[in-house]
């Protein structure tokens, strides 16, 4: 894997320094920032709607099928949120795990397990958004 | 040692605010990640097993569930605000001079947005509606 990643923990930026030497690492570094800005809007909007405008007590399976997801717009919004959070969350977890796992064998194993989990989350999330029947007045 | 002294020790240690900001960013990030995986599974149940979803929802809407939601919201808000601060410094390196001030500014926004949010989420505790 990428054992020679330059991970300089800077007190200044308190995140990863911009990687050099690997185009793929540099691309994912930029994409982390791009998805971060997107999530600032998407995730905070999602949280505000479902915790401030609505109350969790109202959000039964029926509510989701008949109100929350009765419009294509909100399904598309939540799917876009899922895609950005998948990238941002799994690349972030990869950084955290690779910073903390020393053994090369375990690094490879854990990263593959992480990609497997990402695939599962992608499949479950996408399937329910695409297949839950559209009910109610919207669509 | 009281809490204030511990906080001063933490904020004074080597990397100072930058180190604490980094540690909090990781802790909140891992916490949000764990919730996202759980949340995708619970939403999958809306299609796959609505009764099981409604049972889990009853926990989300309960008093302990609401306290966990406040923790989730706090992690999300901190990670979002500190993330913007990181992006700002990465794209505009001269801002690094003020990284500590930016961190404290993000805490002001955190409290200003977070406290009203917490009150809304915990409202059923002192004003129980039909949901609780």
């Amino acid at each position: 894997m990428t054992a020679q990643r330059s991970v300089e923990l800077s007190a200044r930026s308190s995140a990863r320094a911009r990687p050099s030497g690997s185009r793929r690492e540099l691309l994912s570094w930029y994409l982390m920032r791009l998805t971060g800005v997107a999530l600032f809007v998407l995730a905070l909007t999602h949280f505000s709607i479902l915790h401030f405008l609505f109350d969790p007590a109202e959000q039964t399976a029926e509510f989701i099928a008949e109100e929350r997801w009765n419009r294509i717009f909100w399904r598309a919004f939540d799917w876009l949120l899922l895609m950005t959070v998948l990238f941002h969350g799994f690349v972030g977890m990869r950084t955290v795990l690779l910073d903390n796992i020393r053994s090369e064998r375990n690094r490879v194993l854990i990263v593959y397990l992480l990609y497997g989990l990402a695939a599962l989350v992608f499949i479950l999330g996408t399937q329910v958004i695409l297949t839950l029947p559209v009910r109610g007045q919207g669509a | 040692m009281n809490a204030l002294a511990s906080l001063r020790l933490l904020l004074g240690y080597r990397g100072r605010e930058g180190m604490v900001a980094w540690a909090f960013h990781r802790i909140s990030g891992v916490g949000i990640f764990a919730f996202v995986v759980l949340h995708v599974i619970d939403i999958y149940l809306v299609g796959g097993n609505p009764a099981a979803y409604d049972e889990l929802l009853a926990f989300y809407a309960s008093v302990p569930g609401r306290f966990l939601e406040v923790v989730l919201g706090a992690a999300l808000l901190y990670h979002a605000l500190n993330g913007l601060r990181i992006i700002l410094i990465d794209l505009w390196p001269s801002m690094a001079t003020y990284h500590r001030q930016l961190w404290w500014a993000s805490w002001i926004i955190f409290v200003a947005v977070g406290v009203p949010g917490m009150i809304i989420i915990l409202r059923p505790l002192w004003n129980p509606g039909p949901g609780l």
Side-chain angles (χ1 to χ4, degrees), chain A residues 95-138:
Chain A
T95 302
V96 172
L97 289 168
L98 291 182
D99 276 355
N100 289 288
I101 299 168
R102 290 278 165 267
S103 136
E104 189 60 27
R105 194 172 62 97
N106 289 346
R107 290 160 78 91
V108 175
L109 184 70
I110 293 285
V111 169
Y112 277 114
L113 286 175
L114 195 65
Y115 291 164
L117 183 63
L120 181 72
V121 170
F122 173 84
I123 291 167
L124 293 182
T126 303
Q127 198 205 315
V128 70
I129 287 176
L130 290 180
T131 63
L132 193 73
V134 179
R135 284 185 265 157
Q137 300 304 308

Side-chain angles (χ1 to χ4, degrees), chain A residues 14 33 55 59 61 99, chain B residues 26 53-54 57 66 85 90:
Chain A
S14 75
R33 274 126 194 94
D55 191 88
Q59 294 167 34
D99 276 355
Chain B
R26 291 219 153 175
Y53 168 81
D54 284 343
L57 182 77
R66 282 173 195 273
R85 171 184 153 277
D90 282 337

Side-chain angles (χ1 to χ4, degrees), chain A:
Chain A
M1 302 250 54
T2 49
Q4 73 282 39
R5 287 173 326 122
S6 68
V7 180
E8 294 168 73
L9 303 175
S10 152
R12 287 175 144 194
S13 71
S14 75
R16 284 183 73 191
R18 188 186 271 109
S20 53
S22 158
R23 280 182 69 107
R24 209 183 65 158
E25 290 295 318
L26 185 64
L27 181 68
S28 80
W29 186 90
Y30 275 109
L31 283 173
M32 272 311 260
R33 274 126 194 94
L34 191 69
T35 52
V37 174
L39 284 167
F40 191 94
V41 178
L42 295 172
L44 292 182
T45 303
H46 179 90
F47 189 90
S48 302
I49 291 172
L50 297 164
H51 293 269
F52 302 153
L53 292 185
F54 292 96
D55 191 88
E58 311 168 64
Q59 294 167 34
T60 56
E62 203 186 328
F63 167 86
I64 292 173
E66 293 186 359
E67 283 185 60
R68 172 68 185 159
W69 276 357
N70 76 348
R71 281 170 201 281
I72 298 299
F73 175 82
W74 288 114
R75 291 201 194 215
F77 182 97
D78 282 346
W79 192 75
L80 191 64
L81 173 61
L82 178 67
M83 293 304 104
T84 37
V85 86
L86 269 174
F87 182 86
H88 195 94
F90 279 89
V91 171
M93 278 301 290
R94 173 179 170 273
T95 302
V96 172
L97 289 168
L98 291 182
D99 276 355
N100 289 288
I101 299 168
R102 290 278 165 267
S103 136
E104 189 60 27
R105 194 172 62 97
N106 289 346
R107 290 160 78 91
V108 175
L109 184 70
I110 293 285
V111 169
Y112 277 114
L113 286 175
L114 195 65
Y115 291 164
L117 183 63
L120 181 72
V121 170
F122 173 84
I123 291 167
L124 293 182
T126 303
Q127 198 205 315
V128 70
I129 287 176
L130 290 180
T131 63
L132 193 73
V134 179
R135 284 185 265 157
Q137 300 304 308

